[in-house]
Amino acid sequence: MPDTHLLHELIEVSAHRAPAAVALSHGASHSSYASLNAAVQGCVSGLMALGLQRGERVAIYLEKRMETVVASFGATAAGAVFVPLNPLLKPEQVGFILRDCGVRVLLTSPDRLALLAPVLTACPALRHLVVTEPAASADGPLPITAWADLLQAPARPGHRVIDTDLAAILYTSGSTGKPKGVVLSHRNMVAGAKS
């Protein structure tokens, strides 16, 4: 097995080694490593089609589900940084984090998007919204892309990534004040996964 240095390589290597093995299970739904890797590559292409630049932030405001995993690996494979948002956070808390780290793309569900609408106008760096299902109303100041459409973008490679590049920003609970972002490189994330 080749040594992995980048977060998304963990999926690529597993897909090469055991493509039919189950990688994810959610309820009655299962995904093999091959299909997970294909979805991650589709996410990369979709993010690149949105014009995402190297090192820009992709926030994920979802409960535990397949899209959360795909977007986390897809963002890093595209050369971006994923920012997981606790699904229990209130809209004002999400807005603070989106502003604090300059999120460019937000992945969420239509229901969560409706709750966030009042705070999104105060997030100047935000350029794109991706929703897990087509939204009932696409009205708003930002373009909305359905997750399925994002994954169907024409294939294109992500930006160059090295192991010291930022992979994730994890926010603390903020129990003694505002949440603070903890930055993790690909090297940090891969070492944690291997341990």
Side-chain angles (χ1 to χ4, degrees), residues 178-193:
K178 296 285 187 192
K180 293 179 179 51
V182 176
V183 297
L184 297 169
S185 69
H186 280 264
R187 185 183 295 169
N188 298 140
M189 298 289 288
V190 170

Side-chain angles (χ1 to χ4, degrees), residues 14-36:
S14 295
H16 179 72
R17 188 181 65 233
V22 175
L24 293 174
S25 293
H26 185 260
S29 180
H30 304 286
S31 179
S32 69
Y33 278 105
S35 61
L36 175 59

